Amino acid sequence: MALPHAVAAMALLTSLAPATSAQLPSCPQIFGHGGYPTGPDGWQRDQVRQTNNPTAISRYRGWGAAGVEADLQLTKDGTKAVMWHNTSTWGLSGPKRDVTAIWWAAGADQLKGRTITRGIFKGETVYTFRDWLTAMKADGMAGLVEIKPETRQSLLNADASIKSRAWSEVLGPVKEHYQGQEIILYSHDAGIAAELRRQVQAAGLPSKLLTGGPVWPEVTKWEEPPPSWTLNKGAWATALNSGAKRIATDYTPQLAAWLKGKCR
């Protein structure tokens, strides 16, 4: 017969033993997000970390991401859907202009051919939404696409021809790609988000294009240089233990490393 103190010792050892693989939660997919400085002048400190080009997509995949969050803008009057995050061309070569005020491939200030002038993706160029989706498919990445508020200029335009052209620029590439890769569309702008739902339904596209995004647990506000990733460990643990299937992060390699041994 086991002695009481031996039983207690065994229970203590069991409680202190590391969790077995079967006891660990499932590992969430990581969605990489390029951090953007906060505050009204954040654009001046922006280091263009966003995953809006093939070089960035491959880099984030190598860091451990299964998907990325990227940014869709529209050039003047909805003539071209492009992948860029700033309101203006700040961070790109050429004169500073609002993206909604210039054409993709016409005029002295055109967007096509401009290159990134700072940060880890310096030298990369601006891509169309269609070309970005092709690059995402090549790397096997899921895409969470934010339709930026500036696109109201065309997506909610009172001129029906401008509005129709703009939505074709957004949903046309999606129609071509969604059956072969995962695409999720969203907007922080309430008007765009509501119209997006209507346009997706009217186009006969599946509602899954509007769902399935990650949770965003991080407590840090991005700055340059970045705050310590360790400030987010508690929030990451809460998200993991609550069963999050997907976690978005500004710290892709750090989250991937932190998850090792904590999930299966």
Side-chain angles (χ1 to χ4, degrees):
M1 178 181 295
L3 296 174
H5 67 274
V7 173
M10 258 177 141
L12 177 61
L13 286 172
T14 300
S15 69
L16 293 176
T20 66
S21 177
Q23 295 171 319
L24 294 174
S26 297
C27 287
Q29 290 184 321
I30 297 172
F31 270 59
H33 175 262
Y36 192 88
T38 57
D41 62 345
W43 56 274
Q44 293 181 316
R45 303 187 305 282
D46 174 33
Q47 291 299 301
V48 197
R49 300 173 184 270
Q50 291 70 27
T51 52
N52 295 328
N53 61 75
T55 300
I57 293 166
S58 294
R59 182 75 59 86
Y60 278 73
R61 182 176 181 272
W63 284 337
V68 294
E69 196 269 4
D71 313 281
L72 186 148
Q73 296 277 16
L74 284 158
T75 58
K76 188 174 180 179
D77 293 342
T79 48
K80 186 64 70 176
V82 298
M83 302 308 290
W84 184 245
H85 59 292
N86 276 321
T87 299
S88 76
T89 57
W90 175 266
L92 293 171
S93 59
K96 181 175 175 287
R97 297 290 306 278
D98 284 350
V99 172
T100 57
I102 57 177
W103 309 107
W104 168 244
D109 296 336
Q110 71 178 42
L111 187 58
K112 184 178 181 181
R114 291 180 184 242
T115 56
I116 296 171
T117 59
R118 59 179 55 78
I120 58 176
F121 304 121
K122 183 178 179 179
E124 255 293 2
T125 192
V126 178
Y127 287 78
T128 66
F129 183 34
R130 181 174 280 105
D131 287 343
W132 181 85
L133 287 173
T134 298
M136 288 286 285
K137 184 176 182 179
D139 262 332
M141 296 280 269
L144 177 64
V145 182
E146 180 189 357
I147 303 174
K148 301 297 283 185
E150 295 85 355
T151 61
R152 290 178 65 95
Q153 186 266 343
S154 50
L155 294 178
L156 303 182
N157 201 293
D159 185 320
S161 63
I162 292 176
K163 181 177 179 179
S164 176
R165 178 172 58 209
W167 280 108
S168 293
E169 275 293 313
V170 174
L171 296 183
V174 173
K175 289 178 182 178
E176 297 166 12
H177 283 265
Y178 81 92
Q179 291 181 315
Q181 64 191 108
E182 185 176 11
I183 305 166
I184 305 167
L185 306 172
Y186 83 105
S187 181
H188 290 298
D189 183 282
I192 294 172
E195 186 63 25
L196 173 63
R197 290 191 293 271
R198 288 191 288 269
Q199 292 286 338
V200 164
Q201 184 177 21
L205 291 167
S207 59
K208 68 178 183 179
L209 290 168
L210 307 177
T211 62
V215 298
W216 299 73
E218 292 177 358
V219 297
T220 52
K221 292 184 178 180
W222 191 263
E223 193 46 85
E224 297 291 351
S228 172
W229 68 270
T230 60
L231 299 172
N232 293 303
K233 290 196 294 185
W236 290 347
T238 298
L240 177 63
N241 294 330
S242 67
K245 303 300 183 186
R246 291 174 162 175
I247 296 178
T249 179
D250 286 331
Y251 300 87
T252 298
Q254 293 87 353
L255 175 56
W258 180 86
L259 283 170
K260 289 180 179 177
K262 297 180 176 65
C263 57
R264 57 180 170 84

